[in-house]
Amino acid sequence: MALRWYSTVIDCHDVAAQADWWAQTLGWKVAYADDDEVTLVPAHASVELVRATPWAQVPPGLVFVPVPEGKNVKNRLHIDLAPHLTDDRDALIAELLERGATRVDVGQDADEVTWDVLADPEGNEFCVLSSREV
């Protein structure tokens, strides 16, 4: 028996703004929204497609929920994003920075790593990896 990775939950202050930022970043769509929760799923996901997909192969979503406290320390879990080989990685990072991401130093040696560490507008770290074919 195995469990399915159903979703990743992101705590935040402004649920709608965070969900919108990540939807733009990933090209995903809102599957559910109210004042206390927004759920994002891949843009190609539809109820019909999900029902036709074997349970274990349905991709996870992102869920944004409000919390009163602020973020104080480095995330213990983060999302890795990767551009395709045909994408302009530097331009994608520049766009993220223009939309409110910030560069973060978590102790990485900039001369030896193949990823950039950024934080979303509420400070949650994520990495932009080197370009990949798959």
Side-chain angles (χ1 to χ4, degrees):
M1 175 179 91
L3 296 171
R4 181 181 133 212
W5 177 10
Y6 193 78
S7 63
T8 299
V9 178
I10 299 176
D11 294 345
C12 51
H13 288 133
D14 189 335
V15 172
Q18 277 291 90
D20 182 60
W21 192 89
W22 279 99
Q24 288 180 45
T25 297
L26 298 172
W28 285 18
K29 66 181 180 182
V30 174
Y32 174 82
D34 70 18
D35 291 341
D36 293 324
E37 179 180 328
V38 176
T39 301
L40 300 180
V41 296
H44 66 276
S46 66
V47 173
E48 296 79 20
L49 178 63
V50 169
R51 286 188 176 142
T53 303
W55 171 257
Q57 294 176 12
V58 175
L62 287 178
V63 178
F64 298 84
V65 297
V67 294
E69 69 275 0
K71 183 177 171 304
N72 296 318
V73 297
K74 177 183 165 289
N75 292 3
R76 296 284 307 263
L77 175 72
H78 68 267
I79 296 171
D80 283 347
L81 305 177
H84 190 265
L85 288 173
T86 60
D87 292 327
D88 181 342
R89 181 179 178 275
D90 292 337
L92 291 170
I93 290 173
E95 180 184 332
L96 291 168
L97 295 169
E98 287 171 17
R99 293 193 308 102
T102 55
R103 292 191 178 275
V104 179
D105 181 354
V106 293
Q108 71 274 28
D109 182 347
D111 295 330
E112 296 181 14
V113 298
T114 59
W115 65 88
D116 285 78
V117 182
L118 303 176
D120 70 17
E122 288 203 17
N124 298 298
E125 295 94 6
F126 63 96
C127 293
V128 179
L129 306 175
S130 58
S131 299
R132 313 286 165 104
E133 185 174 3
V134 291

